[in-house]
Amino acid sequence: MTVPELHEITLRVNGVAYRTRVPARRLLSDCLRHDLGLTGTHVGCEHGVCGCCTVLVDGQPARSCLMFAVMAEGCEVTTVEGLAAPDGTLSAVQRAFAECHGLQCGFCTPGFLTVLTAFLTENPKPTEEEVVEAISGNLCRCTGYQNIVAAALRAAEILREERAEEIVAAGDGDGAEPERAREEAAE
Amino acid sequence: MKPPPFTYHAPTTVGEALGVLAELGPEGKVLAGGQSLIPLLNMRLAVPPHLVDINRIPELAYVRVDAGGVRVGALARHAELERHAGAYQAVPLLRQALQLVAHPVIRNRGTTVGSIVHADPAAEMPAVLALLGGTVELARKDRRRTVGAADFFLGPLESCLEPGELALAVHFPHLPGRTGTAFVELARRHGDYALAGLAAAVTLDEDLRVAHARAAYVGVAPVPLVVDLTDAVRGVSAAGERSWTLAGRLAQSEVQPEADIHATAEYRRHLVGVLTARALHQAAQRALPEPGPDRTETTP
């Protein structure tokens, strides 16, 4: 058997630059877990159906089992490990999952958290139907969808509250802005 | 499962890619979004010795709206085309169909050209190209050619793309005035492959009655099957609820569905009838002229 050719790649994961050597066939999911030791990204079906391995590639959710590590050369990758603040404070989406019992066995959770993090940035005020559509590519085998949907809606609420507080804290403008922000958050 | 070993090439220009593909011939396979190819590799259903990754060729990542319709480069992702306001305005069927292509996460990476070249008879975008009579631009080192949808799809997962060729772009022509479109399908889970489905286009005459109707079917034939349904619905009033079932019956006689674990052939044929009526009705509604400003701005 011939030894496969190795490719040297550089990628930033959760703000940290990594350089590693991988065979071309190394999936990004395996590179994250085995080469970089970031085992928060879970591997389920390995053909793009379950969504457990979803990470953010340059801010966009992508299946890490449907990308080769060599394709991520130079990319900015965010895994579930990168969602919390550097001091360990959980993100709004993570807190909402804890609050609403959105995780059961936890296997599918990293995929749901990354997908919803990107989704709520794009759509800060989703309807329940839009949430269902956003997570339609992720499978939860505990059938915990009800609480996951509730968590997503709660996360959107927390994010709006935080944003309103930020505007109040900034305190400038015509004075009406914090009021509007609070009203919007409450809706 | 894990993909088999292969030699990886990452050209940075179209010229370089065509050079590599010419050298590799039948040994080379183009990798774009990878959302169909990598599952095939992971399941070892495909074992290409060489992969030519075109993701580093930025000149192929474009969506352009021109006088004739919408041109989509080989690296334009489904999500980009779906969100493109100009493309939606020129060819609304693109967004109507893309919303049904897999899941949002898959659409972030999957490419429209890749989906068409993959030629899956159950996929939405080949049917869109077939219905609109679009074209695919193919290039090899010494020659370029443009192939119409009718000649492009040869069979399940088989297009007329030859070894050494690269699909550079596809062109979706826009439809004549007073034409509405719809994409309707039935899948077990939103985003999964449809048990059956169709893209439909209905053109109305001056009296807002059907002048022309046709549909392209997914999941019920070896290639995207285009059927002219005009005879069954000519003269039908677009505003009416009834009269579309006859077109469904005509379509049922044209399709050749197969049975699999998810549905019997008979059930798929039944779906073709129901979905055809639904899609034609929806398309006809959309072909009606927009209500003028005097009709929308009524005082409460």
Side-chain angles (χ1 to χ4, degrees), chain A residues 1 4-5 7 24-27 30 43 45-49 54 57 60-63 65-68 70-75 115 122 133-134 136-139, chain B residues 1-8 31-36 38-39 41-44 51 53 55-56 79 83 99 102-109 189-192:
Chain A
M1 220 191 118
E5 193 189 341
H7 298 261
R25 73 189 190 111
R26 176 83 88 244
L27 298 171
D30 289 335
V43 171
C45 69
E46 289 198 323
H47 60 273
V49 172
T54 308
V57 177
Q60 292 289 315
R63 300 269 200 266
C65 78
L66 296 190
M67 261 185 91
F68 294 113
V70 281
M71 297 170 85
E73 157 73 33
C75 288
V115 159
E122 204 172 291
E133 157 81 14
S136 61
N138 293 65
L139 294 180
Chain B
M1 284 185 288
K2 308 303 175 193
F6 55 83
T7 306
Y8 177 75
L31 169 66
Q35 304 299 287
S36 299
I38 299 180
L41 297 174
N42 286 357
M43 293 191 276
R44 305 275 176 128
L51 285 189
D53 180 359
N55 282 280
R56 312 247 165 230
R83 287 174 194 159
Q99 286 169 343
H103 306 288
V105 175
I106 302 279
R107 299 203 288 272
N108 283 339
R109 296 224 36 103
R189 172 176 69 144
H190 181 97
D192 284 0

Side-chain angles (χ1 to χ4, degrees), chain B residues 94-252:
Chain B
L94 290 176
R95 191 179 291 171
Q96 290 158 9
L98 282 163
Q99 286 169 343
L100 301 169
V101 174
H103 306 288
V105 175
I106 302 279
R107 299 203 288 272
N108 283 339
R109 296 224 36 103
T111 63
T112 300
V113 172
S115 165
I116 284 166
V117 170
H118 188 55
D120 191 327
E124 289 83 2
M125 298 320 281
V128 168
L129 191 81
L131 182 78
L132 299 175
T135 52
V136 186
E137 285 171 36
L138 302 172
R140 61 196 292 163
K141 208 175 167 192
D142 50 0
R143 171 186 83 169
R144 286 194 181 210
R145 60 181 179 135
T146 301
V147 182
D151 300 317
F152 186 74
F153 302 107
L154 302 182
L157 304 184
E158 197 188 350
S159 75
C160 73
L161 193 85
E162 287 169 11
E165 262 184 328
L166 173 66
L168 294 178
V170 294
H171 187 260
F172 298 99
H174 63 56
L175 291 164
R178 274 199 296 270
T179 299
T181 55
F183 206 112
V184 173
E185 65 178 31
L186 188 91
R188 291 161 65 241
R189 172 176 69 144
H190 181 97
D192 284 0
Y193 280 119
L195 298 176
L198 69 145
V202 174
T203 305
L204 304 179
D205 62 18
E206 282 174 13
D207 301 325
L208 305 183
R209 288 176 183 280
V210 175
H212 192 73
R214 65 183 191 284
Y217 291 85
V218 301
V220 289
V223 292
L225 179 77
V226 181
V227 180
D228 193 322
L229 300 165
T230 309
D231 284 347
V233 285
R234 187 179 281 114
V236 166
S237 161
E241 293 285 325
R242 296 146 65 88
S243 317
W244 305 106
T245 42
L246 202 58
R249 244 172 272 154
L250 174 61
Q252 282 175 325

Side-chain angles (χ1 to χ4, degrees), chain A residues 124-140:
Chain A
K125 224 170 166 180
T127 62
E128 187 172 332
E129 201 184 7
E130 285 167 342
V131 168
V132 170
E133 157 81 14
I135 59 171
S136 61
N138 293 65
L139 294 180
C140 164

